[in-house]
Amino acid sequence: MVGILEILILFIPLSFATFLSFLNFLVLFNNYRKTGEKTILHIAITFLASTITFFILDISNFFEPSNQSNMFLFANVFVWIIFLQVNQAFLSAFLNNTQFLERYLPGVFGSAIFMALLGAIFPDRYFLMNPYKLELGIFLLSGLFILYIFGIAWIRITNSLPLFEEEEARLLLSTRRVIAIAPLCVIYTFISVYFWLITKGLTNLTLNINSWELVDWITYLNVPIYLFVLLGTLYEFSKLKFEKIDISNILNTLDSPKQ
């Protein structure tokens, strides 16, 4: 049964993360409805997938410890869906700028989703419980490619900034700040969660705080980190006056082969 510590330290922060992620989704989806831009839709779906991820982790507090690891594996599926949607947003924003490698990245992220889904359905064959290492290789490759995407996007947005003024420039600056922070979050999450799994073993993971060790608390830091990022993202985009921003013009400029 969930205790008061789990409610205060886990359930409430994860509930806030779920709520903030959903608010970001609503803001972006509302702007997609106004503009019809597919890039915004993919970013909105990214926040929807993160909402589901946080929600699954949140309700895991009410499951028996023996079943919590299965919930973690299902949450993992949506993590890789997030990566796929970030990739799709990148491709839709830079369609004319994509290089040979970038056009085939959806297959890598799709493979990561497939492997994560297999692990969720058949947890006894998950790579940490089995010598089969293909999952780990695909997950690591996907993580490296998402960092590559953030890096290229940051460079192209930076190169385009002098062409914009006022609200459009502020939108790009806010987007660039998010892109700058995102790789740090991805790196910390991947390292902390991976060592959490290999240190404790999949079947020994628990949300019972009374039994936590240092590695559990290090992994838990992901929650306040993402709370800060979600709150900051919502604040940044809520300040913008989207009615004064020509999204189509921004995307057309970013997609110009000259950039």
Side-chain angles (χ1 to χ4, degrees):
M1 183 176 179
V2 62
I4 187 67
L5 282 177
E6 284 75 25
I7 291 175
L8 291 175
I9 297 176
L10 278 170
F11 179 75
I12 292 178
L14 283 169
S15 295
F16 272 117
T18 303
F19 177 68
L20 289 173
S21 189
F22 189 65
L23 282 182
N24 277 288
F25 161 72
L26 290 178
V27 169
L28 286 162
F29 187 72
N30 183 53
N31 281 286
Y32 162 70
R33 292 177 61 188
K34 293 177 181 178
T35 63
E37 294 290 349
K38 289 296 181 66
T39 301
I40 298 177
L41 176 61
H42 288 302
I43 298 173
I45 295 175
T46 296
F47 282 106
L48 181 60
S50 69
T51 300
I52 297 172
T53 303
F54 287 122
F55 178 73
I56 293 174
L57 294 174
D58 202 14
I59 63 174
S60 297
N61 284 280
F62 299 96
F63 283 71
E64 293 296 325
S66 59
N67 293 323
Q68 286 176 350
S69 59
N70 292 338
M71 298 296 290
F72 299 155
L73 291 177
F74 273 109
N76 185 47
V77 176
F78 290 94
V79 170
W80 301 107
I81 290 176
I82 291 171
F83 281 22
L84 176 63
Q85 289 304 313
V86 170
N87 179 76
Q88 293 301 97
F90 174 87
L91 291 177
S92 60
F94 301 106
L95 182 63
N96 294 322
N97 264 328
T98 52
Q99 306 301 317
F100 177 81
L101 172 66
E102 295 162 8
R103 295 171 187 153
Y104 293 92
L105 292 186
V108 176
F109 295 116
S111 298
I113 294 172
F114 177 72
M115 289 298 181
L117 190 58
L118 280 181
I121 297 173
F122 306 106
D124 58 322
R125 65 165 300 282
Y126 192 62
F127 72 85
L128 291 171
M129 307 294 292
N130 191 291
Y132 189 60
K133 299 295 183 181
L134 181 59
E135 293 99 330
L136 178 58
I138 290 177
F139 291 161
L140 182 59
L141 190 63
S142 298
L144 292 174
F145 280 142
I146 204 69
L147 297 178
Y148 166 81
I149 287 173
F150 282 133
I152 295 299
W154 193 91
I155 291 171
R156 292 176 183 173
I157 288 175
T158 299
N159 291 339
S160 299
L161 263 174
L163 304 175
F164 298 97
E165 298 178 351
E166 299 179 348
E167 288 299 310
E168 292 181 344
R170 279 191 280 272
L171 172 60
L172 288 179
L173 284 171
S174 296
T175 303
R176 192 174 66 169
R177 277 193 286 270
V178 173
I179 290 174
I181 294 171
L184 300 177
C185 294
V186 170
I187 292 171
Y188 183 83
T189 298
F190 191 91
I191 293 175
S192 61
V193 172
Y194 179 71
F195 279 103
W196 186 50
L197 289 168
I198 63 172
T199 300
K200 305 205 72 173
L202 183 63
T203 57
N204 295 319
L205 302 181
T206 177
L207 296 179
N208 183 348
I209 293 174
N210 290 321
S211 63
W212 275 13
E213 302 169 356
L214 178 60
V215 67
D216 297 284
W217 288 105
I218 291 173
T219 306
Y220 166 74
L221 277 178
N222 281 282
V223 178
I225 286 173
Y226 282 102
L227 269 174
F228 172 79
V229 171
L230 289 168
L231 186 60
T233 302
L234 186 62
Y235 174 74
E236 286 283 345
F237 289 111
S238 64
K239 291 192 305 180
L240 294 168
K241 300 175 182 177
F242 279 94
E243 64 274 8
K244 296 183 179 180
I245 298 174
D246 188 345
I247 299 293
S248 297
N249 177 53
I250 292 176
L251 291 177
N252 287 336
T253 303
L254 291 175
D255 198 25
S256 171
K258 296 179 182 180
Q259 295 301 322

